């Protein structure tokens, strides 16, 4: 699978079941800031916000991509959220969630790498960052592999499952990314 190209596309109305399968999976959502969705009715407003965002043409701040293998297996989601953007560049956050059947195959690294490429080349950002739960060693490893540097360990910054948890933040600047690509 390591030399298989991945396909990225924006979500559309027919992707409800795909996205629900990801965001309702307890394993997938273990380290995410919010809990797994328990019903399709509860998930629908979140899904509709993604579809609406994809229709936005002016001042767009978010890009959510469905990621597939070449044989159309749903791998997961890749996200870029733009925090600041002006004529000189901008800052954005990347995120990624994968179906458990694709864990441990290097695909999160490939998705994150492509998100950096999109952010720097297509969106003209100058800084990209990512964060994760401090116990999510796999996600931290992805951030390191794509050239990000640790900027912070935020103590008791994430509340989930009845308690506060530490978070990690990694970032990369465009010149660092260009030097390593």
């Amino acid at each position: 699978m390591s030399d298989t190209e991945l396909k990225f596309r924006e979500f559309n109305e027919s992707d409800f079941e795909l996205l629900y399968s990801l965001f309702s999976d307890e394993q997938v959502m273990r380290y995410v800031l919010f809990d797994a969705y328990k019903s399709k009715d509860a998930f629908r407003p979140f899904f509709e916000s993604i579809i609406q965002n994809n229709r936005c043409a002016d001042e767009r701040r978010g890009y959510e991509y469905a990621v597939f293998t070449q044989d159309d297996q749903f791998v997961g989601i890749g996200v870029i959220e733009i925090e600041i953007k002006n004529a000189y560049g901008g800052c954005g956050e990347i995120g990624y969630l994968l179906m458990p059947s694709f864990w441990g195959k290097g695909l999160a690294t490939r998705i994150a790498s492509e998100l950096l490429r999109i952010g720097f080349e297509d969106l003209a950002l100058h800084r990209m960052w990512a964060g994760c739960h401090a116990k999510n060693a796999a996600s931290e490893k992805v951030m390191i592999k794509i050239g990000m540097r640790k900027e912070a360990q935020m103590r008791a910054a994430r509340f989930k499952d009845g308690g506060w948890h530490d978070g990690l933040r990694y970032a990369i600047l465009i010149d660092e990314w260009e030097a390593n690509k």
Side-chain angles (χ1 to χ4, degrees):
M1 184 146 267
S2 62
D3 41 76
T4 303
E5 291 297 317
L6 296 176
K7 298 187 292 188
F8 285 65
R9 69 162 172 78
E10 292 186 334
F11 285 95
N12 60 54
E13 291 83 359
S14 68
D15 293 325
F16 182 86
E17 294 295 331
L18 289 178
L19 209 51
Y20 181 71
S21 70
L22 189 68
F23 282 92
S24 63
D25 188 304
E26 294 286 343
Q27 248 187 307
V28 170
M29 300 300 287
R30 178 178 176 197
Y31 292 123
V32 177
L33 285 175
F34 53 93
D35 294 328
Y37 283 92
K38 304 288 187 216
S39 74
K40 291 179 180 180
D41 288 338
F43 179 69
R44 183 147 314 270
F46 179 73
F47 178 76
E48 292 298 332
S49 71
I50 290 173
I51 299 304
Q52 184 63 33
N53 181 61
N54 288 346
R55 293 184 184 131
C56 181
D58 298 327
E59 302 295 319
R60 187 166 174 186
R61 295 287 184 210
Y63 298 82
E64 295 90 5
Y65 299 99
V67 182
F68 296 89
T69 62
Q70 283 299 313
D71 60 352
D72 293 321
Q73 294 179 68
F74 178 60
V75 175
I77 183 174
V79 177
I80 300 173
E81 295 292 331
I82 299 174
E83 295 178 333
I84 301 167
K85 181 94 168 82
N86 60 35
Y88 304 102
C91 299
E93 175 185 12
I94 65 168
Y96 39 86
L97 292 174
L98 279 66
M99 297 300 293
S101 59
F102 291 101
W103 291 358
K105 298 179 179 181
L107 298 182
T109 302
R110 293 177 55 205
I111 291 169
S113 294
E114 178 62 7
L115 293 172
L116 289 183
R117 189 204 62 74
I118 293 167
F120 289 134
E121 292 183 357
D122 299 347
L123 302 176
L125 301 176
H126 77 277
R127 180 180 187 278
M128 304 280 291
W129 69 275
C132 71
H133 189 291
K135 291 184 179 175
N136 190 345
S139 189
E140 183 179 18
K141 202 179 294 184
V142 167
M143 292 183 282
I144 292 167
K145 282 182 184 177
I146 63 172
M148 290 183 156
R149 293 190 302 176
K150 187 175 183 178
E151 291 189 330
Q153 177 155 346
M154 300 162 296
R155 297 177 305 133
R158 298 166 165 246
F159 189 84
K160 187 165 181 177
D161 299 326
W164 289 98
H165 304 272
D166 289 0
L168 302 176
R169 182 176 284 195
Y170 281 72
I172 188 168
L173 301 175
I174 190 169
D175 58 333
E176 296 166 335
W177 177 77
E178 287 173 336
N180 291 320
K181 66 176 184 172

